[in-house]
Amino acid sequence: MRFGSRTIGIILTGAILAVSGGYVAAAESTADVIKARQDKFKDLGKQAKAIVGQLKSGTLDKAAASDEAKKIAEYAHDLPTWFPKDTGPDSGVKTLAKAEIWTKPDDFKAAAEKFQTEADKLVQIAATGDIAAVGAQFQETGKACQGCHKPFRTPPPDDAH
Amino acid sequence: MALFGFSWWTAENDHLDWHKLSGYGILTLLLFRVYWGVAGSSTSRFTDFVRGPRSIFAYGAKLFGRSGAPSFGHNPMGGWSVIVLLVLLLLQTVLGLFAVDVDGLDPGPFGNFVSFDTGRKIAHWHGKVFNLLLIFTGLHIAAIAFYLLVRRENLITAMIVGTKRVAIHEAVRPLRFVSLWWAIPGIIVAAAIVAWIALGRF
């Protein structure tokens, strides 16, 4: 009898852990998706800053700029997969992603494709190492970033934007 | 003050190019004010208006009295207000030089000296120091309004033209006005430093 109740206790504890563990995993996955997305956008910012830095200094490192442009283009093509359903402002997790991403999917798709086109061009031009041309195309790529941020991102709070 | 407001507006509305120009303008004025605090007219000099705690308390005690304590140039409390504003504004513009925007597209002129993450942290402080500045500029303006409305002393005119009406019995301390020609080297040096920051290839 003593042994029996202990067994039941272990089974019950195990069951509770399994169920609560399941909830935790579900809650985490939304947060994980959003965190992973934010990390990728931060890395995009890093690549952008690296190219801006070279443009500002007046010397373009062809190899480095090419790598940075390629990363940006890779992210651009991957970007449409970063916004699965239920990872928006109603997800309960803090995010700057606006509901419009999901309510205006065609506009969002068009904005992402514009970014992809400009980023692909940037990769080609970066390979030439022509700093003036890279500067001009980088401007266009930056505009594509902003073209998506304005309608689909809540302005970052309490910060220099 | 106009540039301060303009800086806020351009930051809120994503006009970072104008925001930078506004910041350069503010920095030029600040550098000139530091120069004038050493080489300028007597009431502008730091040695003239930076006082110890004793004179601050003595002055504060008379503040609400009928005649109040006479003073020329910044009074002992106002002097510290000026110092706090100058230091905060200098801090704010220097932070701005290193700040990096959220997208990494438009970093400050010294953005190349910091990583993306560090630059983002600095941008965050740039936002915090702005809030501090709001508090201290608010306090400064409130004090000026208090003098104007309650004590009937116009400090604004005094600031601009350097003269002030005083009662005949008040002890007048000699003021020394430096020729405005002396401002020119300060303006040139301040503008040159800021031009170097703005246009330099770092």
Side-chain angles (χ1 to χ4, degrees):
Chain A
M1 194 60 190
R2 230 176 102 209
F3 185 75
S5 72
R6 201 173 142 188
T7 313
I8 290 165
I10 289 168
I11 290 166
L12 270 177
T13 313
I16 290 165
L17 279 178
V19 170
S20 60
Y23 276 117
V24 169
E28 253 175 11
S29 71
T30 304
D32 281 351
V33 169
I34 291 174
K35 174 81 171 58
R37 179 163 87 203
Q38 289 169 342
D39 287 346
K40 284 178 223 166
F41 274 116
K42 270 181 203 158
D43 198 45
L44 255 175
K46 253 177 231 180
Q47 309 308 323
K49 180 182 174 293
I51 294 181
V52 175
Q54 293 172 56
L55 295 172
K56 172 110 198 326
S57 73
T59 41
L60 192 80
D61 179 339
K62 198 160 83 172
S66 283
D67 282 350
E68 286 141 10
K70 275 180 201 156
K71 265 192 183 171
I72 290 173
E74 237 170 72
Y75 281 134
H77 287 279
D78 195 31
L79 190 144
T81 67
W82 299 350
F83 297 88
K85 272 205 160 71
D86 301 322
T87 61
D90 299 330
S91 66
V93 183
K94 210 172 141 191
T95 173
L96 299 178
K98 278 190 180 173
E100 279 81 350
I101 293 170
W102 295 274
T103 58
K104 292 179 183 167
D106 293 340
D107 291 0
F108 185 64
K109 190 164 169 265
E113 277 166 5
K114 169 85 177 142
F115 179 31
Q116 290 160 7
T117 312
E118 299 300 344
D120 285 342
K121 273 191 213 160
L122 184 65
V123 174
Q124 289 170 9
I125 293 172
T128 68
D130 177 350
I131 188 164
V134 171
Q137 184 52 33
F138 187 79
Q139 283 283 320
E140 294 307 311
T141 316
K143 275 185 208 157
C145 297
Q146 304 300 0
C148 195
H149 289 162
K150 289 224 165 92
F152 298 113
R153 181 178 69 179
T154 312
D158 197 34
D159 251 350
H161 304 176
Chain B
M1 267 177 70
L3 287 173
F4 183 64
F6 187 67
S7 286
W8 166 79
W9 186 83
T10 52
E12 286 297 306
N13 293 285
D14 286 326
H15 296 296
L16 271 183
D17 41 354
W18 293 348
H19 185 78
K20 282 184 186 177
L21 289 177
S22 186
Y24 296 145
I26 291 173
L27 187 56
T28 309
L29 293 174
L30 286 171
L31 292 176
F32 173 74
R33 185 62 187 85
V34 171
Y35 161 81
W36 207 238
V38 178
S41 300
S42 60
T43 52
S44 302
R45 295 195 179 192
F46 299 125
T47 48
D48 178 85
F49 65 78
V50 178
R51 312 276 178 76
R54 192 177 299 170
S55 43
I56 293 170
F57 285 119
Y59 182 82
K62 289 187 203 158
L63 195 57
F64 294 95
R66 214 177 101 69
S67 62
S71 75
F72 305 98
H74 298 297
N75 66 59
M77 290 165 100
W80 277 103
S81 182
V82 168
I83 294 295
V84 168
L85 286 176
L86 268 180
V87 168
L88 281 179
L89 281 167
L90 273 171
L91 175 67
Q92 180 68 339
T93 42
V94 171
L95 286 175
L97 299 180
F98 291 92
V100 174
D101 62 308
V102 66
D103 301 318
L105 291 173
D106 210 352
F110 288 168
N112 271 350
F113 297 120
V114 295
S115 72
F116 179 77
D117 291 330
T118 308
R120 287 303 299 145
K121 276 189 195 121
I122 291 172
H124 194 70
W125 293 332
H126 194 61
K128 297 284 178 210
V129 173
F130 175 72
N131 290 338
L132 280 180
L133 271 166
L134 279 185
I135 295 170
F136 283 99
T137 45
L139 200 64
H140 197 78
I141 293 166
I144 292 164
F146 167 80
Y147 277 87
L148 188 65
L149 301 173
V150 180
R151 302 215 16 198
R152 306 271 166 208
E153 282 180 51
N154 190 337
L155 301 183
I156 304 163
T157 316
M159 169 180 78
I160 297 168
V161 298
T163 58
K164 185 177 172 185
R165 285 167 176 281
V166 295
I168 197 81
H169 60 82
E170 287 180 13
V172 176
R173 179 165 60 83
L175 304 181
R176 199 174 61 82
F177 288 97
V178 168
S179 159
L180 285 183
W181 291 107
W182 276 106
I184 291 171
I187 292 168
I188 289 172
V189 171
I193 291 171
V194 173
W196 171 74
I197 291 170
L199 305 172
R201 301 200 141 176
F202 305 106

